[in-house]
Amino acid sequence: MRSGLVSAVTLAALLGSTALVRADGEACSPVTSASLAISGIEITGSKAQDAASGLPKHCIVTGIANQRTGADGKSYAIQFELRLPAEWNGRFLHQVNGGNDGVVVPALGDKPDGFASGGTVPLARGFAVLSSDSGHSGSDPANKSLGLTAGAAFGLDPQARRDYGYAADMTLSPVGKAIIALHYGRKPDRSYMAGCSNGGRHAMVAASRMPENYDGFLVGNPGFDLPRAAIQHAWDVQAFLKADPDLRKSITREDAQVIASRITEACDALDGVKDGLTANLAACQKAFDLKSLACAPGQTNACLPQAKVDALKTSLAGPKNTKGEALYSDWPLDGGIGTGNWRAWKVESPVAPWNNYPIIATMGAASLNYIFSTPPVAVEGSSDKLIDALKAYDFDKDAPKIFAKDGTFTESAMDFMTPPDVDDPKLAGLQKSGGKMLIYHGQADPVFSVNDSIRWYDRLDKNLQGRADGIARLFTIPGETHCGGGVALDKFDALSALTDWVEKGKAPERIIVSANPANKEVPASWSPNRTRPLCPYPSYAAYSGQGDSEDAANFVCKAP
């Protein structure tokens, strides 16, 4: 624990105070380690924040849970912060974060631009918001020598794996509520969990493991099948390297434009209007053939060399072993494929310290080997060595390691990372508790295939005899890549849709989406006032044929 925080806690204790105080004497919160009185939890700070930058006046309470020494000899703890607004709306939001976690992301409830909460972060709406590092530090000085794999090195400790997967959330949920009760003098009226990417995975896992702790789960672009999705990273690298020995040139910006424009040309009008969006995703899969991208003899413009078409086709088909067994999922055709965010993940990122290699080749290689393989596989932390690790990945011998266990690692990656019922979802606990789950997923997501989410939902619906929409609804977003971005309208208020469903019984039949100013991939030709409805799967937004085609009011949710 930092020395400054030690002295602050000690001073409060010496003064006999029940609260940590600001220098000007104003009490921020009555919450201390002693007043909270939960074993293994230490309150390390309490800091008042004045209203600024769109955020309200609030108190930040920080703490540490379950400090320990791991099996790898490194120090571990679950660090967290809870932001408590002066004008509280009675709701608790557990913000679950993306990537490998490892940092306490400011507890605002959403990204600062608030794409999934309509432009106003939950803290500014009056939610009390909790955030944590999920039990490990991604910048631990002890791991500095590991280079780009440092953030995944916690995979050497089995408890850190569990905390990352689900245990930190289970630890902190009652802690957050207890702090809220002490601070405001009453328990929260309603509790929610929300996150995108790995955060979406956290929420889906919690909906299966502890549904009674929350009234609603807001799930974005979920990596609920993350260990299997990580195998895709090796699959992509090996596929695209066959198109060009320099991965970053395998799909150039010009190639990407050809891919996106040709798919859009074939699929754009399938929703009844030409607007640059692949809204009718199911029909698009039949309307466009990747083979048509290949250059004819003598053709050099508006086409791709056959090797690049083959690489793209292989990537989109998803990873398989030599028996032809699927190891993850396939991917749909959408006009957002090939765009900037898609390329950054798949083939070339803008990150100079990574030698501009894609995100999957840095974060992906480290996670696949250190966290999702049992036993963990140490890989060197330079960008070139990470590429080499994915090049060498064996889909027959290495892929089964995500299901493996041993005497030290008694839970496989599939055990600690995915919902317990991932392949046969029933959400029995959520049904019993009466909770709701709202899922959104970009159709051009390059990290987690929307097809995987669709198949999961189809299985759930089958298990619930066609009544899955009573507890869970899935909304796919045309053109959107990973948690925002892409040639897409990607600003919407899913949080209000969820709270209305939970608190008013108003199930979301459509969610209005508009252009997000933070998304620089939105074409200049699109009206800045364009709106569309997001429709619950399997329906899609179809133009009614009457009225302004830029207005969501003139679209209907139509069955495919």
Side-chain angles (χ1 to χ4, degrees), residues 233-482:
H233 303 334
W235 184 259
D236 281 340
V237 166
Q238 293 185 25
F240 288 124
L241 283 174
K242 291 179 180 178
D244 195 291
D246 184 343
L247 179 63
R248 296 157 295 191
K249 297 178 181 178
S250 58
I251 300 292
T252 65
R253 289 178 178 83
E254 293 74 20
D255 295 334
Q257 183 57 44
V258 170
I259 295 167
S261 63
R262 291 286 298 281
I263 294 174
T264 300
E265 180 183 355
C267 300
D268 189 358
L270 297 174
D271 58 358
V273 64
K274 287 197 129 187
D275 56 3
L277 291 169
T278 312
N280 191 346
L281 187 67
C284 183
Q285 310 317 297
K286 301 174 183 177
F288 185 76
D289 191 334
L290 286 172
K291 294 178 182 178
S292 67
L293 289 171
C295 297
Q299 184 184 7
T300 57
N301 294 322
C303 63
L304 270 65
Q306 187 64 52
K308 294 192 177 189
V309 175
D310 291 343
L312 184 62
K313 185 175 181 180
T314 298
S315 170
L316 295 176
K320 295 178 177 61
N321 59 23
T322 55
K323 295 180 181 178
E325 298 168 330
L327 303 176
Y328 174 50
S329 172
D330 59 356
W331 306 69
L333 298 166
D334 179 279
I337 290 177
T339 56
N341 183 277
W342 188 94
R343 288 190 72 260
W345 281 95
K346 294 284 193 182
V347 295
E348 182 186 28
S349 79
V351 185
W354 296 354
N355 204 17
N356 297 114
Y357 283 120
I359 302 171
I360 61 167
T362 49
M363 290 177 61
S367 297
L368 180 57
N369 285 282
Y370 269 101
I371 306 170
F372 304 143
S373 296
T374 299
V377 178
V379 291
E380 293 187 48
S382 70
S383 57
D384 288 336
K385 292 296 183 181
L386 290 169
I387 290 286
D388 288 344
L390 294 180
K391 286 167 61 177
Y393 194 82
D394 189 307
F395 300 100
D396 288 333
K397 297 178 181 179
D398 295 328
K401 294 177 182 177
I402 67 171
F403 294 96
K405 308 175 187 181
D406 62 22
T408 301
F409 298 91
T410 57
E411 291 177 278
S412 73
M414 290 298 291
D415 289 336
F416 66 78
M417 287 298 291
T418 71
D421 58 355
V422 63
D423 289 327
D424 190 26
K426 298 182 178 68
L427 294 179
L430 193 65
Q431 292 182 68
K432 183 178 180 180
S433 69
K436 308 298 181 187
M437 182 190 296
L438 193 158
I439 308 166
Y440 61 89
H441 201 147
Q443 292 177 178
D445 188 342
V447 187
F448 305 123
S449 174
V450 71
N451 280 356
D452 203 32
S453 289
I454 287 171
R455 288 194 187 92
W456 177 89
Y457 191 86
D458 283 342
R459 287 192 294 267
L460 175 67
D461 196 48
K462 181 178 180 181
N463 284 338
L464 300 189
Q465 299 178 324
R467 295 191 295 271
D469 63 354
I471 60 168
R473 296 199 176 193
L474 168 64
F475 295 80
T476 67
I477 307 172
E480 192 211 44
T481 47
H482 190 59

Side-chain angles (χ1 to χ4, degrees), residues 94-348:
H94 189 161
Q95 168 189 313
V96 276
N97 302 307
N100 283 341
D101 286 302
V103 62
V104 181
V105 178
L108 308 181
D110 196 1
K111 294 180 180 179
D113 55 41
F115 80 94
S117 56
T120 304
V121 295
L123 179 66
R125 296 184 180 201
F127 285 78
V129 184
L130 172 71
S131 176
S132 85
D133 66 0
S134 289
H136 62 275
S137 171
S139 57
D140 187 340
N143 294 326
K144 187 176 181 180
S145 63
L146 298 178
L148 295 175
T149 64
F154 72 89
L156 296 171
D157 178 66
Q159 182 58 46
R161 287 183 170 199
R162 274 190 293 273
D163 283 339
Y164 173 57
Y166 64 89
D169 294 335
M170 299 185 80
T171 297
L172 292 180
S173 180
V175 172
K177 294 177 183 180
I179 292 173
I180 287 171
L182 275 174
H183 183 82
Y184 294 111
R186 65 184 179 92
K187 296 178 181 179
D189 302 319
R190 297 287 187 176
S191 297
Y192 297 90
M193 179 179 277
C196 197
S197 187
N198 178 52
R201 180 201 65 82
H202 276 290
M204 284 186 73
V205 170
S208 288
R209 286 188 176 271
M210 49 175 176
E212 68 284 350
N213 285 34
Y214 303 92
D215 299 288
F217 299 87
L218 183 55
V219 177
N221 291 60
F224 70 94
D225 210 4
L226 211 160
R228 283 189 279 221
I231 293 173
Q232 176 80 34
H233 303 334
W235 184 259
D236 281 340
V237 166
Q238 293 185 25
F240 288 124
L241 283 174
K242 291 179 180 178
D244 195 291
D246 184 343
L247 179 63
R248 296 157 295 191
K249 297 178 181 178
S250 58
I251 300 292
T252 65
R253 289 178 178 83
E254 293 74 20
D255 295 334
Q257 183 57 44
V258 170
I259 295 167
S261 63
R262 291 286 298 281
I263 294 174
T264 300
E265 180 183 355
C267 300
D268 189 358
L270 297 174
D271 58 358
V273 64
K274 287 197 129 187
D275 56 3
L277 291 169
T278 312
N280 191 346
L281 187 67
C284 183
Q285 310 317 297
K286 301 174 183 177
F288 185 76
D289 191 334
L290 286 172
K291 294 178 182 178
S292 67
L293 289 171
C295 297
Q299 184 184 7
T300 57
N301 294 322
C303 63
L304 270 65
Q306 187 64 52
K308 294 192 177 189
V309 175
D310 291 343
L312 184 62
K313 185 175 181 180
T314 298
S315 170
L316 295 176
K320 295 178 177 61
N321 59 23
T322 55
K323 295 180 181 178
E325 298 168 330
L327 303 176
Y328 174 50
S329 172
D330 59 356
W331 306 69
L333 298 166
D334 179 279
I337 290 177
T339 56
N341 183 277
W342 188 94
R343 288 190 72 260
W345 281 95
K346 294 284 193 182
V347 295
E348 182 186 28

Side-chain angles (χ1 to χ4, degrees), residues 26-56:
E26 180 185 348
C28 176
S29 178
V31 180
T32 64
S33 300
S35 65
L36 188 62
I38 297 177
S39 178
I41 307 299
E42 182 177 7
I43 299 301
T44 58
S46 180
K47 181 180 179 182
Q49 297 287 301
D50 292 328
S53 303
L55 299 179

Side-chain angles (χ1 to χ4, degrees), residues 6-20 32 34:
V6 173
S7 60
V9 174
T10 303
L11 178 60
L14 289 173
L15 294 175
S17 172
T18 59
L20 298 174
T32 64

Side-chain angles (χ1 to χ4, degrees), residues 516-547:
N516 186 353
N519 182 3
K520 304 306 180 186
E521 294 189 77
V522 173
S525 60
W526 288 12
S527 168
N529 300 317
R530 173 182 287 187
T531 58
R532 291 286 185 275
L534 296 177
C535 297
Y537 171 81
S539 62
Y540 67 94
Y543 179 50
S544 66
Q546 298 180 341

